[in-house]
Amino acid sequence: MIKNFLYSQKVAPYVFVLPFVLIFIIFWVYPLLSSFGMSFQKVTLGQEASFIGADNYTKLMGDTIFFKAVRNSAVYMILTLLILIPFPMLFAVLINSKAMWGREFFKSSFFFPALTSVVVAGTIFRLMFGEMEGSLINSLLGMFGVEPVKFLKGQTTGFVALVALASWRWMGVNMLYFLSGLKNIPDDYYEAASIDGASAFQRFTRITIPLLKPTTIYVLTISIYAGLAMFIESMMLWNGNNSPKNIGLTIVGYLYRQGIEKNNLGYAAAVGIVLLIITMVINLTQLAISGMFKKEED
Amino acid sequence: MNTGTLRKILLFAFFSVLCLLILVPFYAVTIASFKPGEDLIRYGLNLRFDLSAMSLDNFVFLFTGEHAYFTWFFNSLLLTVVQVVLTLLVSATVAYGFSAYEFRGKNLLFVCVLLIMMVPFEILLLPLYTLTFNMGLMNSYSAIILPGVAGAATIFFFRQYLRGIPKEMIAAGRVDGANEYAIYARLILPVMKPSFAAMAILNGMNSWNNFLWPFMVLSDENKYTLPIGLKTLLTPYGNNYDLLIVGSFFSILPILALFLGFQKYFIDGMTAGAVKG
């Protein structure tokens, strides 16, 4: 009887998706709701929590360190978008052109950095951007007569190191996304355009860019997410969650500091909820502007 | 020389320079792992290739010295294998449920899959941390493995893949008298093999390099994974560069070897999420 029930075509699909439902509820819905609840409480691990209304949020709005973290995350996100979308797109188009030697070799080497863990990559970059005269970047600058720079002590130079790390790790991956997008553009389009007398630049702006739009939207979406949620990169570059004058502090870094380091879980939960709102607002706006939702309807 | 050849040479030169820039950090780490850690403290990470200052001492220390490096290494290996096998099995089953049937609530559930891909995991860190603490799962591997078992990106990829499998196959299975689960296990799973390779490699790579959540859960040094172990070599009071650099270098090798052997699958896995126009 039970066997017949479980084996029926009506019940089987639910059995198949059951693991997802369970994990979604236990590890996503429940934590999300409890995070929301925690943000209205004073919570310390192992102790009874107490309801304090919107106090955490009010306090957050007057917290200059929090705003510093938001600004850092936003600047980092914008810089990575400015570098990690146009350049990989251009490189993908160039590497895809018929007149290219060693395409497979270059594709692979550009991908190498993505294989490293953020711990290893962060350590390498911290040492490369070291303040000594002999450190890699400073020794290169020295060749041009530039005095050694204390990269990780300044706001701007610190971000140079941070963005360099991100560019190094993800350039090749984003290039691969664009290459797989290019594969879906039929060659005839370019041939027809050439016959009509379109220049290479015109073909790029009139055919390549518009037809790569779905790929661009995808890369944009994941880059916004990754940019706003960045934490470990900064933690590795500054060897901990404390950078001088918080120059490398990010939203998740602040969440970690308040929640884990200071055991101020309610306040940290409020930071998380703000991050969730920022991410969703930016991404949904971006998707709406680019017409993603409209497309699914027709 | 015609313009076509000139163009080829220019493009090749341009990408060679770019490639050199990208490979410089690997070169620097490679030569640093042959130099004493003291050199790194005094001169920083550099490009100087000086054979007289180089030796195999760090590698000898890595393989024979007193440290927990290989404990961490095998922990990572074990965790990666378990995580990949479980994630693949669970995600494939779920994806099959989504692609083979029409059922009430299907669309809503699929939106949940997409939602997971859009909500930053980081905001769940604290509630997951308290949940793990309350369930008494701190310092256990199950706390690391369980939340990721139904991988949203993996489900998404398998579902796309299964769309290409003809429905007639399932119908034929039913005609032959197989039940729903036997159809999945005997007919569908074997057909999915190629897609398993791509997802195994992508999940394996992520798992091997995973850091933040395991770092929060694990506190026992003997349970550390490789990235956590390497991170603990850096302390505010001084860094164990001798082991750190050679250990970092060595930690890249297995995944690099895997990449060189299975390039196609890495790339398939990576680009799987990108929507087609």
Side-chain angles (χ1 to χ4, degrees):
Chain A
M1 185 59 193
I2 293 172
K3 203 175 164 188
N4 278 338
F5 174 72
L6 275 178
Y7 278 39
S8 82
Q9 261 186 60
K10 281 243 177 305
V11 179
Y14 294 102
V15 176
F16 280 117
V17 297
L18 184 68
F20 173 74
V21 176
L22 287 178
I23 284 170
F24 185 68
I25 292 171
I26 302 172
F27 294 109
W28 288 87
V29 178
Y30 170 73
L32 203 62
L33 292 178
S34 96
S35 198
F36 191 69
M38 266 162 76
S39 73
F40 293 99
Q41 294 172 322
K42 184 172 170 53
V43 193
T44 314
L45 205 60
Q47 283 176 27
E48 201 67 29
S50 60
F51 184 78
I52 53 165
D55 280 12
N56 285 328
Y57 291 99
T58 330
K59 200 173 136 204
L60 208 54
M61 288 308 116
D63 187 340
T64 50
I65 299 177
F66 172 67
F67 279 99
K68 170 97 186 179
V70 172
R71 209 186 61 192
N72 282 344
S73 289
V75 170
Y76 175 80
M77 177 196 81
I78 292 167
L79 289 174
T80 51
L81 292 184
L82 288 178
I83 293 172
L84 285 171
I85 292 181
F87 288 103
M89 189 196 282
L90 186 69
F91 295 162
V93 170
L94 290 177
I95 214 170
N96 203 38
S97 71
K98 287 195 183 72
M100 188 67 211
W101 284 321
R103 182 181 299 139
E104 294 307 313
F105 170 78
F106 287 121
K107 264 163 68 178
S108 308
S109 354
F110 282 33
F111 187 84
F112 277 174
L115 300 174
T116 57
S117 76
V118 62
V119 169
V120 171
T123 307
I124 299 174
F125 270 66
R126 189 163 76 91
L127 295 168
M128 267 174 33
F129 282 92
E131 54 190 58
M132 284 160 290
E133 209 177 315
S135 302
L136 208 153
I137 304 293
N138 272 332
S139 69
L140 291 179
L141 289 176
M143 288 181 198
F144 298 98
V146 180
E147 290 290 303
V149 179
K150 290 180 176 167
F151 278 99
L152 299 174
K153 298 251 166 80
Q155 179 77 68
T156 313
T157 50
F159 260 66
V160 169
L162 208 49
V163 172
L165 171 59
S167 309
W168 179 72
R169 281 186 82 211
W170 302 117
M171 186 68 75
V173 173
N174 286 2
M175 201 177 90
L176 283 180
Y177 287 136
F178 286 116
L179 275 170
S180 75
L182 286 174
K183 262 198 218 147
N184 295 322
I185 305 179
D187 284 339
D188 326 0
Y189 289 16
Y190 292 104
E191 281 159 23
S194 297
I195 293 167
D196 290 344
S199 67
F201 180 73
Q202 279 172 328
R203 275 175 306 195
F204 180 67
T205 51
R206 304 274 173 81
I207 300 175
T208 312
I209 292 183
L211 288 176
L212 273 181
K213 199 168 132 187
T215 313
T216 313
I217 292 172
Y218 176 77
V219 176
L220 191 62
T221 310
I222 55 169
S223 308
I224 289 171
Y225 174 119
L228 290 174
M230 188 273 286
F231 166 44
I232 307 297
E233 281 84 349
S234 152
M235 189 182 184
M236 290 314 301
L237 275 192
W238 279 281
N239 200 3
N241 198 11
N242 280 307
S243 44
K245 292 185 189 151
N246 293 315
I247 51 176
L249 185 69
T250 67
I251 304 178
V252 177
Y254 197 56
L255 180 150
Y256 189 85
R257 181 187 291 176
Q258 289 294 340
I260 306 297
E261 291 168 3
K262 295 191 175 168
N263 200 359
N264 205 349
L265 291 160
Y267 194 55
V271 174
I273 297 297
V274 174
L275 172 63
L276 175 70
I277 294 170
I278 298 177
T279 317
M280 292 314 263
V281 166
I282 295 182
N283 254 331
L284 294 178
T285 313
Q286 178 258 125
L287 290 173
I289 290 175
S290 52
M292 265 307 265
F293 299 127
K294 236 187 269 162
K295 210 186 141 198
E296 276 163 21
E297 280 162 24
D298 53 40
Chain B
M1 191 161 55
N2 62 38
T3 50
T5 318
L6 183 70
R7 234 186 101 191
K8 268 190 182 176
I9 292 172
L10 282 177
L11 268 182
F12 187 78
F14 173 73
F15 278 104
S16 302
V17 172
L18 213 58
C19 187
L20 224 55
L21 278 176
I22 282 177
L23 297 181
V24 155
F26 289 110
Y27 169 77
V29 172
T30 308
I31 55 169
S33 58
F34 290 95
K35 294 181 198 167
E38 188 194 308
D39 190 88
L40 207 57
I41 295 167
R42 197 176 305 156
Y43 307 111
L45 193 64
N46 55 54
L47 299 173
R48 210 172 321 111
F49 187 89
D50 176 8
L51 217 54
S52 65
M54 290 159 85
S55 71
L56 286 172
D57 289 358
N58 292 335
F59 286 89
V60 172
F61 180 66
L62 181 73
F63 286 102
T64 60
E66 291 246 345
H67 53 70
Y69 186 86
F70 283 99
T71 310
W72 304 332
F73 191 92
F74 288 112
N75 288 344
S76 273
L77 209 59
L78 176 77
L79 199 62
T80 299
V81 170
V82 174
Q83 223 163 6
V84 166
V85 171
L86 277 177
T87 308
L88 253 52
L89 277 180
V90 173
S91 305
T93 310
V94 173
Y96 177 68
F98 275 122
S99 66
Y101 300 95
E102 290 305 324
F103 57 94
R104 194 185 279 269
K106 175 176 158 172
N107 288 336
L108 179 72
L109 272 179
F110 198 68
V111 168
C112 296
V113 173
L114 299 178
L115 207 66
I116 293 187
M117 292 165 84
M118 277 183 70
V119 174
F121 173 74
E122 284 77 4
I123 72 153
L124 301 175
L125 284 176
L126 298 174
L128 276 180
Y129 185 73
T130 46
L131 182 72
T132 308
F133 182 84
N134 293 333
M135 284 165 73
L137 287 177
M138 272 302 179
N139 211 17
S140 77
Y141 286 158
S142 33
I144 299 173
I145 296 167
L146 288 175
V149 164
T154 312
I155 294 176
F156 192 79
F157 176 74
F158 283 144
R159 179 181 155 270
Q160 298 289 92
Y161 188 83
L162 283 168
R163 280 178 159 183
I165 292 175
K167 288 263 197 288
E168 289 77 23
M169 231 175 118
I170 301 169
R174 286 191 189 124
V175 170
D176 288 346
N179 70 49
E180 300 301 308
Y181 310 103
I183 292 174
Y184 169 63
R186 303 230 186 93
L187 293 178
I188 305 298
L189 273 183
V191 184
M192 288 179 75
K193 257 187 211 156
S195 65
F196 270 63
M199 286 300 105
I201 285 184
L202 185 72
N203 278 296
M205 178 180 133
N206 289 341
S207 175
W208 180 259
N209 289 333
N210 194 11
F211 177 72
L212 185 54
W213 179 236
F215 179 67
M216 287 171 66
V217 171
L218 300 176
S219 53
D220 176 358
E221 199 194 344
N222 290 315
K223 287 194 174 174
Y224 283 171
T225 59
L226 200 47
I228 302 172
L230 288 174
K231 169 78 181 73
T232 57
L233 296 177
L234 293 165
T235 68
Y237 313 105
N239 306 318
N240 187 348
Y241 281 132
D242 287 307
L243 187 56
L244 181 66
I245 285 299
V246 72
S248 297
F249 174 73
F250 193 78
S251 79
I252 305 173
L253 292 183
I255 202 121
L256 191 63
L258 206 65
F259 176 72
L260 294 174
F262 299 94
Q263 263 184 59
K264 180 183 169 302
Y265 297 109
F266 270 92
I267 291 173
D268 285 356
M270 268 294 172
T271 52
V275 269
K276 288 189 174 146

